[in-house]
Amino acid sequence: FGLDPTQGRAPSLLNGNLAESAPLLVLAVLFASYLECRTLDQVHGLTATGRTLRAGQPVELTYSPGDLGFDPLSLYDFWGRLMPPLVEARAAVDDEYRLDWLVYHRRVMEAAEIKNGRLAMLAITGFAFQEALWGVPVVDQTPILFTPLPELCRG
């Protein structure tokens, strides 16, 4: 099948056969480039304060690198919406406090996304090195990680 030349291991620089997936990699790079080009209008003319002029009118822009506005589950504001009763009471009467609360928790979520992304990159790099060193697919080395949960619960 598709992974026969690598004996079931994922194609990578270490395992070989990366050239076979080159068309997919080129397509992924083109798609990522397209998405980044779509956000250029958010960045062009942006100052450190976020204030700029557009059509002669002052506007305030915000931009977070990589933020394409895709959040179908509304997780970005999840922690900001979970207010303890005393915080909620104060936020109900003080709009600035509510905004500060939301901004703080958005920053916490952004930091969590960065940390989890970095951890995932380290993990997948570790998988690639593990496959290259042992010559056995990670799926075969750690079958418990790739077994469906209901099957594990049955014993």
Side-chain angles (χ1 to χ4, degrees):
F1 189 70
L3 295 178
D4 286 343
T6 60
Q7 294 135 5
R9 295 174 293 160
S12 71
L13 290 174
L14 302 172
N15 295 332
N17 290 21
L18 192 59
E20 292 178 0
S21 53
L24 179 63
L25 293 175
V26 169
L27 188 62
V29 167
L30 289 174
F31 182 67
S33 300
Y34 166 75
L35 290 177
E36 282 299 316
C37 287
R38 286 195 45 186
T39 62
L40 282 179
D41 65 334
Q42 296 173 358
V43 181
H44 179 72
L46 190 61
T47 62
T49 61
R51 293 182 181 92
T52 188
L53 291 175
R54 182 174 284 167
Q57 297 295 322
V59 293
E60 190 163 330
L61 299 175
T62 58
Y63 176 71
S64 296
D67 182 12
L68 302 175
F70 180 75
D71 187 17
L73 300 178
S74 298
L75 294 177
Y76 188 55
D77 290 326
F78 178 74
W79 295 113
R81 289 190 310 261
L82 294 178
M83 294 183 185
L86 292 176
V87 171
E88 192 169 4
R90 182 173 173 193
V93 295
D94 188 355
D95 287 335
E96 187 174 331
Y97 180 76
R98 176 183 288 277
L99 181 62
D100 289 344
W101 176 270
L102 290 172
V103 167
Y104 170 77
H105 283 90
R106 283 183 173 194
R107 288 188 180 139
V108 167
M109 183 61 84
E110 288 171 359
E113 287 179 351
I114 289 171
K115 290 176 182 178
N116 286 316
R118 289 175 179 168
L119 181 63
M121 287 186 274
L122 288 173
I124 198 68
T125 302
F127 282 170
F129 276 107
Q130 187 175 345
E131 284 186 349
L133 289 174
W134 277 271
V136 178
V138 173
V139 176
D140 292 341
Q141 292 178 32
T142 54
I144 194 167
L145 297 177
F146 300 95
T147 305
L149 193 57
E151 194 174 312
L152 284 175
C153 292
R154 279 186 288 215

